[in-house]
Amino acid sequence: MERYLGIDLGTSGCRAIIIDEAESVVAQSAASLPASIVQGLHVTQDPSAWWAALTLALSQLAAQADLKQVAALSIDGTSGSLLAVDAQGEPMGPALMYDDSGCVLEADQIALYAPMESPARGRTSGLAKWLWLKKHYPKSRIIHQADWLAARLGAKFMTSDENNALKTGYDPVSRAWPRWLENLVDINELLCIVPPGTYLGICESPQARVLRLNPDTLVMAGTTDSVAAFIASGAQEIGDAVTSLGSTLTIKLISASPVYAAEFGVYSHRLGDLWLVGGASNTGGAALLPFFSVAEMEALSAHLKPDEPTGLDYYPLTKPGERFPIADPTLAPRLTPRPAQDTEFFQGLLESIARIEAQGYARLAQLGATPVRTLRTLGGGARNTAWSRIRSRLLQVPMPQAMHLDAAYGSALLAKRGIARYRANSSSLGN
């Protein structure tokens, strides 16, 4: 029986999941990563720590399942995390992480040429990091986190996927690096880009042999961690949406057409012939913590009355400034009046975040995205059943349970679907 392996490199660790033909989890493991090193505006990690975490996660998997049965694997990584490597693929220094904001001069350069709607604009973009790394390591090749790990397992060197390449300047509409990039980089030094799930090689590298992977295992192109988590949720049809209720509120929606709106931080990942449109608000769980601890919120949730609206109208923020669904860097938090009862206040906060969520999906539709058909939930807030009832009342769409919560599961699905397409195409060419 064939198995499929998904590997997720997140901010704090590596998770790995093996699924079978029925898409059931056969084995799973996790290994932690050291905290990122913060120096001023720069945020870095040592790539060798990624490899060590991946090695540990796979060794744990090997104790649960036979890795020789893995037919294909795929790796997702944090969006916009890049490193400089030499001609053999060895790191030349620390990697700049997704939340690194130290490439200020490079962002100014990009702003001279990049269209306003390009996700490559801004000091945290992949392209800004590309320029900074190239300046400090002139003879290097620049690749994304997931690309480097896949190449060590046997994927074609200097190849990436359409999702990881988005913030590095790749145009998913034309499926090409845009001409304006020639003002900033040598086009010949950019990565070869393929759709997620594309065949990139087999696990015949020395590193793959050390990990005791089957040399016939196919390495398929990966994606970003957020896209992998979306895939894991089970959302796959036009109109399917996923809300992540974590420290902030993030929404993503499968749309028939792409949407780009820089003023709202809205951009689109390509998913085959469809589009994953997303936006992120500054509201969310972090805006609740100044008032209630996690334990207090759990206790209060049992006494909420989700079917009886409080009438309170807040805009919970940790500090002034909102990006989506309202684009206003000066927007002040609105947290008054506060009722005498903590239960009522807490419910009013949850209702207000749910209203912002509904406004977010309405904003995406206003910008041209497909209206929401179904809504799944990820993140810590997904466990709060009272909040789910409040959201259901305000959003008025079916809310099926997410199929899985781990990005690694999404990468495993990507590997399974990718190998099916690869075999179908190979069979077609053979005929």
Side-chain angles (χ1 to χ4, degrees):
M1 181 181 293
E2 286 190 339
R3 304 289 170 82
Y4 310 94
L5 169 61
I7 300 170
D8 164 52
L9 255 293
T11 305
S12 58
C14 175
R15 296 185 65 84
I17 286 179
I18 293 177
I19 62 172
D20 60 19
E21 284 286 351
E23 300 181 354
S24 299
V25 175
V26 173
Q28 56 186 320
S29 63
S32 61
L33 281 169
S36 298
I37 297 173
V38 180
Q39 294 178 308
L41 297 176
H42 283 298
V43 182
T44 64
Q45 283 187 357
D46 182 354
S48 66
W50 303 341
W51 185 251
L54 185 151
T55 300
L56 179 57
L58 291 191
S59 68
Q60 292 173 354
L61 276 188
Q64 306 171 49
D66 184 2
L67 297 186
K68 297 295 184 183
Q69 293 182 338
V70 174
L73 65 84
S74 182
I75 303 175
D76 72 77
T78 49
S79 176
S81 296
L82 282 84
L83 67 156
V85 299
D86 62 20
Q88 288 71 48
E90 293 301 317
M92 300 179 72
L96 297 184
M97 296 306 293
Y98 69 97
D99 52 348
D100 181 290
S101 60
C103 306
V104 180
L105 296 178
E106 291 74 18
D108 291 342
Q109 282 181 276
I110 295 167
L112 297 175
Y113 303 104
M116 280 299 299
E117 68 272 12
S118 174
R121 295 173 68 96
R123 62 179 64 178
T124 62
S125 75
L127 182 57
K129 299 183 185 78
W130 197 102
L131 295 174
W132 189 95
L133 288 166
K134 197 65 182 175
K135 185 187 300 181
H136 289 77
Y137 305 99
K139 298 184 182 298
S140 68
R141 308 298 297 272
I142 313 299
I143 59 178
H144 305 107
Q145 179 185 51
D147 311 332
W148 180 71
L149 292 165
R152 285 178 72 84
L153 293 179
K156 184 180 178 182
F157 185 47
M158 294 304 294
T159 303
S160 187
D161 64 273
E162 292 179 319
N163 301 153
N164 270 298
L166 183 68
K167 293 181 181 178
T168 312
Y170 180 78
D171 181 0
V173 177
S174 63
R175 287 191 145 160
W177 292 106
R179 293 293 300 272
W180 59 262
L181 265 178
E182 295 177 9
N183 298 293
L184 298 165
V185 306
D186 181 348
I187 295 291
N188 296 318
E189 294 188 351
L190 291 171
L191 297 153
C192 173
I193 306 301
V194 298
T198 300
Y199 167 75
L200 295 182
I202 56 177
C203 289
E204 58 180 358
S205 68
Q207 294 91 341
R209 286 196 293 271
V210 170
L211 294 173
R212 298 182 180 179
L213 291 169
N214 188 333
D216 292 328
T217 297
L218 275 58
V219 183
M220 317 306 284
T223 182
T224 65
D225 54 349
S226 63
V227 173
F230 187 94
I231 294 171
S233 74
Q236 57 183 334
E237 303 291 337
I238 294 176
D240 287 350
V242 173
T243 293
S244 179
L245 294 174
S247 298
T248 58
L249 169 72
T250 303
I251 68 174
K252 293 184 184 296
L253 165 72
I254 298 179
S255 176
S257 56
V259 174
Y260 295 94
E263 66 273 26
F264 296 109
V266 173
Y267 56 88
S268 302
H269 280 292
R270 188 159 195 151
L271 285 179
D273 293 326
L274 301 177
W275 299 90
L276 184 55
V277 181
S281 168
N282 291 335
T283 195
L288 304 174
L289 290 175
F291 306 103
F292 304 107
S293 67
V294 173
E296 287 172 333
M297 286 189 274
E298 290 177 353
L300 289 170
S301 294
H303 302 286
L304 298 181
K305 299 177 180 179
D307 300 319
E308 300 178 19
T310 64
L312 296 168
D313 183 20
Y314 301 136
Y315 206 107
L317 297 169
T318 57
K319 59 183 179 180
E322 177 62 303
R323 47 186 170 161
F324 175 85
I326 300 170
D328 183 354
T330 66
L331 184 70
R334 188 169 66 249
L335 297 161
T336 57
R338 176 166 180 166
Q341 297 297 320
D342 282 348
T343 304
E344 186 180 1
F345 180 51
F346 181 52
Q347 180 167 326
L349 292 172
L350 296 184
E351 289 172 344
S352 298
I353 294 174
R355 268 194 299 274
I356 295 168
E357 179 186 3
Q359 291 165 8
Y361 284 113
R363 176 70 72 187
L364 291 184
Q366 180 186 51
L367 293 170
T370 302
V372 178
R373 184 183 72 92
T374 67
L375 177 60
R376 293 164 175 81
T377 309
L378 303 177
R383 296 188 295 270
N384 190 316
T385 56
W387 197 2
S388 295
R389 285 172 59 186
I390 289 170
R391 294 171 55 235
S392 179
R393 171 168 55 81
L394 289 170
L395 286 139
Q396 292 291 300
V397 293
M399 296 176 65
Q401 187 173 359
M403 184 166 64
H404 209 284
L405 304 180
D406 282 320
Y409 184 85
S411 283
L413 290 177
L414 194 59
K416 178 177 182 289
R417 295 167 186 173
I419 196 173
R421 288 194 300 270
Y422 172 73
R423 287 170 173 168
N425 291 337
S426 298
S427 176
S428 176
L429 291 173
N431 293 333

